[in-house]
Amino acid sequence: LILINFDCFGCSQMFVLILLLKFNLINKINAFSCTDNSNTNAIFNDNYCDCKDGSDEPYTNACFIGEFKCNNHNNPLIEPQTIPNYQIDDGVCDCPDGSDEKPNICSDRSEEILQQEINNLKFNINLHEQGSIIRKNITEKGKKIKRHFDKQIRKIESSLSIVSNDLQNFQESEGDPKLFYEMRSKYNQLSQQLDRLQYLSTLKLPFILVEWYELAQYCYRVVLNEKQIKGGSPVPGSNKYYVTEFCPLTRVSQWELQADIDPSQVEKTVEWNKPESSNKQIIGRFNGWNENELNTIIYTGGGRCPNGVSRYIRIKSICGLES
């Protein structure tokens, strides 16, 4: 607002005209073209948001949109951090060097952060070196297990052939039915073992995943209560627990734990062929690895949900020193 207090009305008009011309001239000199071309006459950094993308106010919090890049001028090795424009000059030190606030408000934490990054890098290098040694050992074990699978397959195939002939002969001679069913049960068990071993032995695993052969011998269990499973509060008076079993190259299943079983007594690691609960729910069956992320295992074709959709699950593995 310009207040003019002159006796000469004509002089007032002349003075206002000069001020307006001067103001327009300054605007043209300071004109800023928005990055998104929404305004070609914006004023740069005047604490007023002229551009839709906030590109005219990189050093103020006038625009809700847009980004501010922290300087980190004291440590060029630190990658500049980017924060939203509305966090500039808000009294909160968001940038490591405090460049998002007025001078002398924030302390420069760049050196501290740089040292943290160096320490993290050293830790990760050490972790990688130890992990490489462990992985090499696991890979060698995987190769031995693969050879063991092949040997077991030949052995079971031989046993199956013998039992199959015995069954045929026993059936033709009309022997004791009880003995016949025992032989039939043994035959079925051998068949299941053979199917499992043949499956594991013929898996088309990428070379970098050959270490999974060792893990494939076992299933891993975790016990969760109802609240942890459903992500909310359990039913009043309910103290239900569920067992989730992860068998790396076969399936993921889940079942309700019997009320008389102490959750802490559930075996955490079991052999793949150990009998399971009869009320298990298959969450998904092994369907390979994610092509873009080989540390992610995909399980599909699980039991159907109430809406008819089949359950599925993806499990991501992370690097560590323990399996």
Side-chain angles (χ1 to χ4, degrees):
L1 177 64
I2 301 175
L3 297 178
I4 305 298
N5 187 15
F6 280 94
D7 294 334
C8 174
F9 182 75
C11 295
S12 298
Q13 287 182 321
M14 181 71 68
F15 186 64
V16 170
L17 179 61
I18 292 173
L19 286 177
L20 290 176
L21 288 173
K22 184 177 181 180
F23 183 73
N24 288 334
L25 181 61
I26 292 174
N27 277 354
K28 289 182 179 179
I29 294 175
N30 293 333
F32 173 81
S33 182
C34 303
T35 304
D36 62 356
N37 296 320
S38 59
N39 190 342
T40 57
N41 293 311
I43 300 178
F44 185 76
N45 216 51
D46 66 342
N47 207 30
Y48 183 82
C49 194
D50 300 302
C51 301
K52 292 182 179 180
D53 63 354
S55 57
D56 63 310
E57 299 297 320
Y59 302 112
T60 75
N61 59 4
C63 300
F64 188 78
I65 57 176
E67 294 182 332
F68 172 79
K69 183 173 288 188
C70 304
N71 292 331
N72 295 334
H73 52 273
N74 293 332
N75 281 299
L77 296 179
I78 299 179
E79 183 177 351
Q81 177 183 340
T82 300
I83 64 172
N85 270 0
Y86 60 81
Q87 292 183 355
I88 302 172
D89 198 24
D90 61 353
V92 179
C93 302
D94 299 295
C95 293
D97 61 351
S99 56
D100 58 308
E101 301 298 321
K102 290 183 174 63
N104 303 321
I105 292 182
C106 304
S107 59
D108 192 340
R109 297 180 295 111
S110 299
E111 290 289 345
E112 175 188 346
I113 293 176
L114 178 60
Q115 189 58 51
Q116 288 178 355
E117 292 191 1
I118 292 174
N119 292 339
N120 291 337
L121 181 60
K122 289 180 178 178
F123 174 81
N124 289 330
I125 290 174
N126 182 56
L127 183 68
H128 177 76
E129 290 174 346
Q130 295 183 59
S132 296
I133 297 173
I134 295 173
R135 185 172 188 170
K136 182 179 179 180
N137 293 335
I138 292 177
T139 301
E140 291 302 317
K141 288 181 181 179
K143 293 177 181 178
K144 291 180 180 179
I145 292 170
K146 175 69 164 60
R147 292 193 293 268
H148 174 70
F149 285 163
D150 295 337
K151 184 178 179 180
Q152 287 292 100
I153 287 173
R154 291 191 294 270
K155 183 178 178 180
I156 293 176
E157 285 177 337
S158 177
S159 298
L160 268 176
S161 178
I162 295 173
V163 174
S164 178
N165 290 332
D166 290 345
L167 276 173
Q168 184 66 30
N169 295 333
F170 194 85
Q171 192 172 16
E172 292 175 357
S173 63
E174 298 181 355
D176 183 2
K178 183 178 179 180
L179 183 57
F180 174 80
Y181 285 116
E182 289 178 355
M183 295 174 66
R184 170 63 70 178
S185 176
K186 181 179 179 180
Y187 178 85
N188 291 337
Q189 290 178 3
L190 287 171
S191 295
Q192 291 177 2
Q193 292 181 26
L194 180 63
D195 290 343
R196 165 70 175 177
L197 288 170
Q198 286 178 331
Y199 170 76
L200 292 175
S201 182
T202 57
L203 279 175
K204 303 301 183 184
L205 296 176
F207 174 75
I208 60 172
L209 298 178
V210 70
E211 57 267 33
W212 280 94
Y213 273 121
E214 181 184 20
L215 297 175
Q217 298 180 99
Y218 304 99
C219 296
Y220 307 89
R221 293 174 175 176
V222 59
V223 180
L224 301 172
N225 61 37
E226 187 177 32
K227 183 175 181 179
Q228 290 172 306
I229 288 289
K230 297 181 178 179
S233 300
V235 178
S238 172
N239 193 27
K240 294 181 179 179
Y241 286 86
Y242 296 86
V243 180
T244 300
E245 183 175 78
F246 164 53
C247 302
L249 302 181
T250 52
R251 65 187 176 279
V252 176
S253 55
Q254 187 180 92
W255 63 90
E256 184 179 338
L257 190 63
Q258 296 178 7
D260 58 342
I261 298 179
D262 183 352
S264 64
Q265 300 302 313
V266 175
E267 293 182 90
K268 298 299 186 293
T269 304
V270 296
E271 294 184 1
W272 65 269
N273 58 353
K274 189 178 178 74
E276 296 181 344
S277 172
S278 58
N279 63 339
K280 69 178 180 181
Q281 173 68 61
I282 301 296
I283 305 299
R285 301 184 187 280
F286 177 75
N287 193 28
W289 276 267
N290 187 324
E291 293 183 359
N292 299 321
E293 298 179 345
L294 289 178
N295 64 334
T296 302
I297 315 174
I298 302 173
Y299 299 82
T300 59
R304 293 186 179 278
C305 298
N307 61 1
V309 178
S310 296
R311 290 176 170 84
Y312 68 93
I313 187 171
R314 295 185 178 188
I315 296 181
K316 179 174 290 188
S317 60
I318 59 175
C319 293
L321 301 181
E322 297 181 4
S323 296

